[in-house]
Amino acid sequence: MSLFRMPLLIVLLAFAGAQAGERINQEGRILGPVPTVTTPTLFNTPEADAIVSAMQIMPLTNPWNEDISNRPLLANSSAMIQQIITDLGSNGNRLRLFEEMNYVLIPDNQPRVDVRLLLYPSQSDDIKPGTSNVGSYPIPSNQPIETWPVHTGGLTNTQWQQDVNNEGGDRHSITVMPGSGFIWETWQMKYDASNATQPWQASNGAKFDLNSNALRPDTWTSGDAAGFPMFPALVRYDECDRGMVEHCMRVVVKRTRNNATNTAHIYPATHDAGSTTDPNVPAMGQRVRLKSSFTIPSNWSKYERAVALGLKKYGAMVADNGNFFSISICPDDRFPAGCFSNIQQLAITNFEVIQTTGENEGPRSPGAPTCDAGADQTVNPQAGATLSGAVSGTNITTTWYVYPYTAAPGNVVFANASSPNTTATFSAEGTYTLMLKVEDGVHAPAYDAVIITVDSSAPPPPSGGSAPAAPTALTAVAVSGTAIDLSWTDASNNESGFKIERSPDGVANWTLITTTAANATSFRDSNLSAATTYFYRVRATNSVGDSANTAAASATTSSSGGGGGGGGTPPADADGDGVSDAEEAQLGTNPSNANSKPGGTADFDGDGITDDQDSDADGDGVSNASETAAGTNAYDAGSFTPIAIPLLKLSGGVNFVSDAKDSISFTTIIPALPAKLNFNQAQLIVDCDGAKVPFVLDARGRSKSVNGSAGFKAKFIRNKQTKTLEFIGGDTLFSAKLNKGSWKSSWEDDGIVSAERNKERISLSVTLTFAGNVYSGSTDAFYTAKPGKSGRFKK
């Protein structure tokens, strides 16, 4: 073991078992409590393994965590693979695994230090206030630099930080703060002991949010040429030791495309460094995978098998240019010697190129499945367990299985492992973790766990009694574009409730949507799609078992409907109590009496809360009381009232490029607004130093606009961490000359270019007009001129 590994003082809450809502990652592994880091901890230690094993590294929907094993191939997949091989030339047709990128885990209170940014400060994050080229990063004293300790010739961590042998190179650094959920990454990182005040220096500094899918600004680089974070892509010791790399990896190829065809980088890449427009040369962000037809040899080490399994399921994304087709692994000195020797002989022809999903596609598209495995249970061995899972989704597959990461005390037999509602029997007493998995082949699977304690002291199954009789006369009636009412006859006197299932065709894909209380004879199914046919069946249940199902009944929702926060015209409602005349007639209440709202049934917006309990019955973000006071309809989702938003912060930057264009971007943080605030057709005006640009937002708070020769983008996003709304304006391009501006602003170019970089401060006024309110601020930035470029500036 290295003498330079730091001791770890962390608090790991004891993991006593999975419960509903347990943190479960994309591979179905229960993560347990979030660890607390109290001292900087190096990557090649058991303490670091415990921390990263308990982390959700990027969201479940993030491209690095996306299962691409069933994605279709690119039409030119074979040609692209052959071009990769041709470009490598004498470096061969083999996969390489490079032990290079390492990391350190730090506490939330890690002090920040200055890092001088030498090449790309304008594309760096966390710039120290009052400076333009100094990053403020939480770098600990034991910060490791790329390739240490296995490829640094026995140098200590401190010696390698200082590059005492002047070896140079990329020298990446990765600093991870698990508690707050951030990563800081640099390249060409070095500790210059001769600089007493600012010894750390790097070429660029990038910050990433572990809990967000947000990307760097388009065209910005990072420690990776593609603008990627490197930490989520690293092959780590802890996951190889478990037997599976649980994420996409980063792969390097010889050549990538340039941006002449606007295809040089594809989602989620933000930057390119290519040299050709050849479509058979991969773009930054291009994803490859190991072919499913490749059989992993049985004599491969568990570390090699872990990498191969990950390459089949999650693949690898093109992240940089280099001399080999290579995957980055941590330079962890605990990997046994030669443990990757077999996979290093893997021919590149065993790979293929897939069609990647975009920003709002695949797992990031709407309609992800959900599941709830139910409450934990203690059961008698003779009785077994009745599993009552609740799932949702379209074209889903449901599976019960025994959690594979902890040993079970015995065998488990599921009566029907593909049904969310089934029974399980156990061969031995003890504690079992059972997993419910729901997948639709598009989104990230939904997982939930239930703990079953099998104990002979628990009540045995009833010696007498019988399952309830099946209900009869099931009917289904569509009451709007989003809701269907069910009713049936209760034919038993010993049920504990009724299980209601739904199917898209009445033949297969039956999904349990709820279990009612005893003696129920009706249920409203809400949040449905308009103009869609749904099939239903109902059965009674008690502790002995379930009855047979009713015959299926079906109904088709109307082509449009109110509620659900989506606007629309409510159905006829003579007394204005939020229950349509047709519904009231069916329920036996008076359609002309506003006091006849039936308690516990009407749910206009389909959010699962009855109207007489819902403070915002139409889901438009305005409370019933406020709408009544304003004279608007509390059951009309189109009655949205604008809400004032004060401007709290404005920041940004300006960069001048050699083709005489400039750009500005800025962000304003707005306090939390109602969850169902409707932006659709809302108007926004951005005035930047007299250049006014109007926007009309779509339902997602996004818009593009053109004003003369200038193009603009704007969007509102919700920040789940700060629980605020953020307005992001940027990517604006002005065709302005660099002399005393054809675009009015407070800067002038004096044409002076010295031997030193020439920096000029720029202050721009920005005004936002939204929802009838006006908010003003300013943005300060610098531009830089380089020697020999008189009158022209380079980014």
Side-chain angles (χ1 to χ4, degrees):
M1 293 183 63
S2 169
L3 296 177
F4 298 93
R5 294 181 185 171
M6 299 293 290
L8 175 68
L9 300 175
I10 62 173
V11 177
L12 283 174
L13 299 178
F15 172 51
Q19 299 178 357
E22 180 64 45
R23 298 169 61 244
I24 302 175
N25 76 352
Q26 63 276 2
E27 194 58 30
R29 186 168 56 82
I30 299 172
L31 301 178
V34 177
T36 300
V37 183
T38 60
T39 194
T41 305
L42 289 175
F43 66 102
N44 55 344
T45 61
E47 294 86 354
D49 293 345
I51 297 170
V52 293
S53 294
M55 290 175 62
Q56 177 60 54
I57 302 175
M58 312 306 288
L60 295 175
T61 59
N62 193 270
W64 293 104
N65 297 327
E66 183 177 347
D67 181 353
I68 49 82
S69 56
N70 294 315
R71 289 292 301 166
L73 296 184
L74 278 182
N76 63 332
S77 170
S78 297
M80 190 174 288
I81 292 295
Q82 185 56 54
Q83 187 62 56
I84 291 172
I85 295 170
T86 299
D87 289 343
L88 289 172
S90 60
N91 284 326
N93 174 29
R94 304 292 174 188
L95 174 68
R96 295 290 186 94
L97 270 63
F98 280 171
E99 297 171 305
E100 47 185 354
M101 308 302 180
N102 47 31
Y103 58 91
V104 63
L105 306 165
I106 60 171
D108 284 356
N109 62 354
Q110 179 66 37
R112 294 191 175 231
V113 301
D114 291 351
V115 179
R116 291 175 290 127
L117 302 172
L118 304 181
L119 292 183
Y120 293 94
S122 65
Q123 295 184 30
S124 296
D125 300 309
D126 281 5
I127 298 298
K128 184 178 181 179
T131 73
S132 63
N133 62 349
V134 177
S136 179
Y137 304 141
I139 304 298
S141 61
N142 63 337
Q143 175 72 54
I145 307 298
E146 179 181 353
T147 71
W148 184 84
V150 301
H151 292 299
T152 53
L155 294 180
T156 66
N157 191 9
T158 300
Q159 289 171 326
W160 189 247
Q161 288 174 349
Q162 299 178 25
D163 193 14
V164 294
N165 292 338
N166 293 316
E167 294 189 24
D170 287 346
R171 297 183 60 83
H172 291 92
S173 77
I174 301 174
T175 311
V176 184
M177 186 180 285
S180 296
F182 291 104
I183 317 166
W184 290 264
E185 299 182 349
T186 71
W187 55 287
Q188 292 186 342
M189 185 75 156
K190 181 178 178 179
Y191 188 90
D192 181 3
S194 66
N195 189 321
T197 58
Q198 293 179 328
W200 283 107
Q201 66 181 44
S203 290
N204 171 260
K207 180 182 180 181
F208 297 91
D209 188 342
L210 280 165
N211 301 306
S212 172
N213 288 339
L215 307 180
R216 293 179 67 65
D218 195 49
T219 74
W220 277 31
T221 189
S222 66
D224 239 342
F228 287 153
M230 294 178 293
F231 177 65
L234 300 186
V235 175
R236 309 185 313 269
Y237 176 83
D238 68 290
E239 58 186 351
C240 288
D241 195 49
R242 280 193 303 272
M244 176 72 177
V245 174
E246 300 173 335
H247 53 80
C248 181
M249 293 160 248
R250 65 184 295 272
V251 66
V252 175
V253 297
K254 180 68 175 180
R255 288 194 305 158
T256 52
R257 292 201 291 269
N258 65 25
N259 211 33
T261 57
N262 295 317
T263 59
H265 60 267
I266 58 178
Y267 181 82
T270 61
H271 185 261
D272 51 81
S275 57
T276 178
T277 59
D278 187 343
N280 291 329
V281 172
M284 290 293 184
Q286 205 88 61
R287 196 185 296 237
V288 301
R289 71 176 171 219
L290 185 58
K291 292 178 179 178
S292 61
S293 59
F294 175 78
T295 301
I296 303 173
S298 59
N299 66 334
W300 278 19
S301 70
K302 68 175 179 180
Y303 308 99
E304 292 171 316
R305 295 179 63 83
V307 173
L309 289 170
L311 287 171
K312 283 192 172 190
K313 184 171 183 178
Y314 299 103
M317 283 190 281
V318 174
D320 205 345
N321 299 327
N323 292 322
F324 302 97
F325 186 78
S326 60
I327 299 291
S328 295
I329 66 174
C330 288
D332 197 309
D333 44 5
R334 295 174 296 170
F335 281 124
C339 68
F340 294 111
S341 59
N342 292 307
I343 198 171
Q344 301 257 32
Q345 301 302 312
L346 182 64
I348 301 175
T349 50
N350 287 298
F351 288 84
E352 55 196 3
V353 188
I354 66 162
Q355 297 178 27
T356 58
T357 53
E359 181 179 7
N360 300 306
E361 298 175 335
R364 294 164 295 283
S365 62
T370 64
C371 74
D372 184 342
D376 295 346
Q377 303 177 44
T378 298
V379 301
N380 188 282
Q382 299 177 50
T386 298
L387 304 176
S388 301
V391 301
S392 69
T394 303
N395 298 321
I396 58 175
T397 300
T398 303
T399 307
W400 281 102
Y401 62 96
V402 179
Y403 183 62
Y405 293 96
T406 56
N411 296 323
V412 181
V413 176
F414 297 97
N416 182 0
S418 62
S419 172
N421 293 271
T422 187
T423 59
T425 56
F426 307 87
S427 66
E429 294 188 41
T431 300
Y432 297 79
T433 301
L434 305 183
M435 299 293 292
L436 179 60
K437 177 182 180 181
V438 182
E439 53 191 335
D440 61 7
V442 176
H443 301 89
Y447 296 94
D448 196 24
V450 62
I451 300 297
I452 306 296
T453 301
V454 181
D455 186 347
S456 58
S457 65
S463 57
S466 60
T472 60
L474 174 65
T475 62
V477 178
V479 294
S480 71
T482 60
I484 291 175
D485 279 348
L486 305 178
S487 62
W488 61 89
T489 299
D490 181 359
S492 65
N493 58 10
N494 64 339
E495 83 276 353
S496 61
F498 292 90
K499 295 180 178 180
I500 303 174
E501 292 185 328
R502 184 177 64 209
S503 166
D505 56 15
V507 178
N509 296 314
W510 288 99
T511 301
L512 180 74
I513 58 175
T514 192
T515 299
T516 73
N519 302 317
T521 57
S522 64
F523 173 75
R524 170 167 292 185
D525 190 16
S526 304
N527 285 329
L528 301 176
S529 299
T532 304
T533 300
Y534 296 90
F535 293 80
Y536 298 87
R537 65 188 185 188
V538 179
R539 64 181 181 273
T541 186
N542 65 15
S543 60
V544 177
D546 292 350
S547 74
N549 288 303
T550 63
S554 65
T556 302
T557 54
S558 58
S559 58
S560 64
T569 302
D573 179 14
D575 56 11
D577 65 355
V579 185
S580 71
D581 295 348
E583 292 175 76
E584 295 211 35
Q586 180 186 359
L587 294 167
T589 54
N590 186 346
S592 299
N593 179 358
N595 295 320
S596 62
K597 184 193 302 183
T601 50
D603 179 15
F604 186 83
D605 62 0
D607 62 357
I609 304 174
T610 58
D611 289 343
D612 49 356
Q613 296 177 334
D614 195 344
S615 62
D616 177 17
D618 58 7
D620 64 356
V622 184
S623 70
N624 299 340
S626 297
E627 293 212 37
T628 300
T632 54
N633 186 347
Y635 299 95
D636 174 8
S639 60
F640 168 74
T641 300
I643 296 175
I645 51 172
L647 183 67
L648 299 184
K649 185 180 74 173
L650 191 67
S651 62
V654 178
N655 297 301
F656 295 92
V657 295
S658 58
D659 58 357
K661 294 180 180 179
D662 57 52
S663 64
I664 179 173
S665 62
F666 54 89
T667 300
T668 177
I669 299 180
I670 299 166
L673 295 178
K676 295 183 179 180
L677 179 63
N678 188 354
F679 292 108
N680 201 24
Q681 300 301 305
Q683 292 190 344
L684 166 72
I685 297 176
V686 178
D687 184 338
C688 188
D689 260 18
K692 293 185 178 180
V693 184
F695 297 91
V696 177
L697 303 175
D698 63 14
R700 300 185 62 199
R702 301 184 178 197
S703 182
K704 295 181 181 180
S705 185
V706 175
N707 183 12
S709 58
F712 303 81
K713 295 179 183 178
K715 68 177 178 179
F716 283 85
I717 62 173
R718 296 192 181 278
N719 188 322
K720 294 182 180 179
Q721 297 300 310
T722 61
K723 300 188 184 305
T724 58
L725 197 73
E726 296 182 3
F727 167 73
I728 297 178
D731 298 332
T732 64
L733 293 176
F734 299 90
S735 295
K737 295 182 179 179
L738 293 178
N739 53 2
K740 299 184 179 180
S742 55
W743 169 45
K744 293 169 58 178
S745 68
S746 59
W747 61 269
E748 291 185 3
D749 170 32
D750 57 12
I752 299 174
V753 178
S754 66
E756 300 295 328
R757 290 186 173 86
N758 182 46
K759 300 180 176 65
E760 290 292 339
R761 190 178 187 89
I762 301 165
S763 179
L764 305 174
S765 65
V766 179
T767 300
L768 305 180
T769 302
F770 179 70
N773 297 280
V774 179
Y775 312 100
S776 297
S778 64
T779 176
D780 292 326
F782 293 84
Y783 71 85
T784 300
K786 289 186 176 181
K789 297 289 185 180
S790 178
R792 306 181 74 182
F793 295 87
K794 187 175 182 181
K795 196 172 184 179

